[in-house]
Amino acid sequence: MDEPFQLALIGTKGKWYDHEVTVSDVQSAEAEEGDDDMAAAKKVAELIDAIYVQNWTEETDAQCEAAKKAWDELTDEQKALVEGEVADPDYFGNDTGDASKDDPLNGDEIGENELLVVSFGTSFNDSRAEDIGGIEKALAAAYPEWSVRRAFTAQIIINHVNARDGEKIDNVDQALQRAVDNGVKNLVIQPTHLMHGAEYDELVDTLGKYSDKFESVKIAEPLLGEVGKDPSIVNEDKEKVAKAITEAAVKDAGYDTIDAADEDGTAFVFMGHGTSHTANVTYSQMQTQMQELGYKNVFIGTVEGLPEETELNAVIEAVKTAGYKKVILRPLMVVAGDHANNDMAGDEEDSWKSGFEKDGSFDSIECQISGLGGIPAVQEVYVSHTGDVLN
């Protein structure tokens, strides 16, 4: 050990070579096994990182399958070691419900009239079936002469669902090409996005490449309708949604009315995503809408903190200043997915729940994990928007 000695090695072509070598830092069998565990976990992390991307290629489906196969071959101990640039054990290990309850709505032979419902998407199975699926079912029931189909704009989510559950959801390009291949003549697109933001703009751009493939193409309004120029401008859509989500939150909290909750010192905080897009004024308009409805104990916030008055600390300060001691957090998002479960209700120190608790000014912090898409009155807004373009 640790002393040089002579050794003869034979090369691949049969030639012998003399070497002086030293043996040191000998590893135990346990250490070698640990190295093997890390290598196996690293391989899976690299495969996950490779499909955690927003672009689709012809290799994507095979990459998703390879990642899941490699994950399934790991031991429980190895799974706990998976860590990459974005990869972690929750990618495959997190239980988000039964994927078989969801319908990807990617069937063919659908006739000449298609209603394509375009969503950002979610990898949370229960929310995908209840929230996005709820909107799709409401539209199918309202317009039975139109074949309802689905597309997601987030390829990262599409890949996640594909790899973990084997459920294949079309992205927008795939869905539009499927419509062309199916001989669809009349296409109506209903986005489930909240506003005319970046996702909506990208959808319009993509649609432009297919506009000459159909006899008619129409795109309906997103949930909250026209944006408006400043925070004071509201509309009928925002009023309907404000009433619907507040009524649902009040009911789930066990109050008869919003006034009863106010008298009990309870504030409702709706957490949206936020965006740097100019459409972020929509969140401020929703706060204006709540005030115009007399909901003085309702506050609007965003994960991204854009616009600035919707940032977590600003919202905490607003609730404190108003004197409320009980806080109920609920997502202002179509789905109750990763943002709702982690950014809002998670136990990590940077979650909204943890932020309110850390402030120390409140007696209780509760979370309602429920997306907008599961509320019938919200579904009816989408139905109305689709009806506007059909008529």
Side-chain angles (χ1 to χ4, degrees), residues 62-135:
Q63 289 176 312
C64 290
E65 185 177 342
K68 181 61 161 61
K69 182 177 183 294
W71 167 264
D72 288 341
E73 291 172 351
L74 297 181
T75 65
D76 289 343
E77 290 77 13
Q78 290 170 337
K79 289 176 179 178
L81 298 174
V82 172
E83 182 178 356
E85 184 176 346
V86 292
D88 61 37
D90 286 343
Y91 188 87
F92 284 114
N94 194 19
D95 182 9
T96 66
D98 185 356
S100 68
K101 295 180 180 179
D102 183 46
D103 185 350
L105 294 176
N106 56 7
D108 297 317
E109 300 179 5
I110 61 176
E112 296 182 350
N113 300 322
E114 177 178 332
L115 173 53
L116 179 61
V117 182
V118 179
S119 306
F120 179 81
T122 180
S123 62
F124 279 67
N125 292 331
D126 285 345
S127 183
R128 191 168 65 258
E130 180 178 353
D131 297 328
I132 294 175
I135 296 168

Side-chain angles (χ1 to χ4, degrees), residues 69-289:
K69 182 177 183 294
W71 167 264
D72 288 341
E73 291 172 351
L74 297 181
T75 65
D76 289 343
E77 290 77 13
Q78 290 170 337
K79 289 176 179 178
L81 298 174
V82 172
E83 182 178 356
E85 184 176 346
V86 292
D88 61 37
D90 286 343
Y91 188 87
F92 284 114
N94 194 19
D95 182 9
T96 66
D98 185 356
S100 68
K101 295 180 180 179
D102 183 46
D103 185 350
L105 294 176
N106 56 7
D108 297 317
E109 300 179 5
I110 61 176
E112 296 182 350
N113 300 322
E114 177 178 332
L115 173 53
L116 179 61
V117 182
V118 179
S119 306
F120 179 81
T122 180
S123 62
F124 279 67
N125 292 331
D126 285 345
S127 183
R128 191 168 65 258
E130 180 178 353
D131 297 328
I132 294 175
I135 296 168
E136 293 164 343
K137 289 182 176 67
L139 289 165
Y143 307 108
E145 68 277 17
W146 290 75
S147 296
V148 175
R149 289 296 177 265
R150 170 191 291 179
F152 283 0
T153 58
Q155 188 67 45
I156 289 173
I157 289 173
I158 294 172
N159 292 350
H160 193 173
V161 176
N162 184 3
R164 186 189 61 200
D165 305 308
E167 178 179 330
K168 294 184 179 180
I169 299 170
D170 285 344
N171 60 36
V172 177
D173 270 308
Q174 290 169 331
L176 291 173
Q177 186 58 53
R178 186 186 295 275
V180 173
D181 294 342
N182 276 313
V184 170
K185 293 183 179 180
N186 304 304
L187 178 68
V188 170
I189 295 181
Q190 176 59 67
T192 67
H193 306 124
L194 257 66
M195 64 188 72
H196 289 268
E199 293 287 331
Y200 184 90
D201 290 346
E202 291 175 10
L203 170 60
V204 173
D205 289 343
T206 303
L207 182 59
K209 297 185 294 184
Y210 294 84
S211 59
D212 61 346
K213 305 294 184 181
F214 308 98
E215 291 183 7
S216 68
V217 179
K218 298 177 181 178
I219 183 167
E221 285 286 320
L223 181 59
L224 299 177
E226 290 294 335
V227 176
K229 295 181 179 180
D230 62 67
S232 67
I233 298 176
V234 295
N235 58 29
E236 185 179 352
D237 293 325
K238 293 180 178 65
E239 181 179 352
K240 288 179 180 179
V241 173
K243 288 180 178 179
I245 63 177
T246 302
E247 180 180 340
V250 168
K251 180 179 179 181
D252 289 350
Y255 294 105
D256 292 331
T257 64
I258 186 68
D259 290 334
D262 180 62
E263 292 173 4
D264 194 38
T266 298
F268 294 90
V269 176
F270 292 99
M271 186 197 76
H273 185 277
T275 175
S276 58
H277 192 280
T278 55
N280 65 19
V281 70
T282 301
Y283 294 106
S284 302
Q285 291 167 347
M286 282 299 289
Q287 185 67 69
T288 298
Q289 183 65 76

Side-chain angles (χ1 to χ4, degrees), residues 44-66:
V44 173
E46 290 173 348
L47 290 170
I48 292 174
D49 286 343
I51 58 176
Y52 201 93
V53 292
Q54 190 55 23
N55 60 301
W56 181 91
T57 71
E58 293 183 355
E59 289 76 39
T60 296
D61 288 347
Q63 289 176 312
C64 290
E65 185 177 342

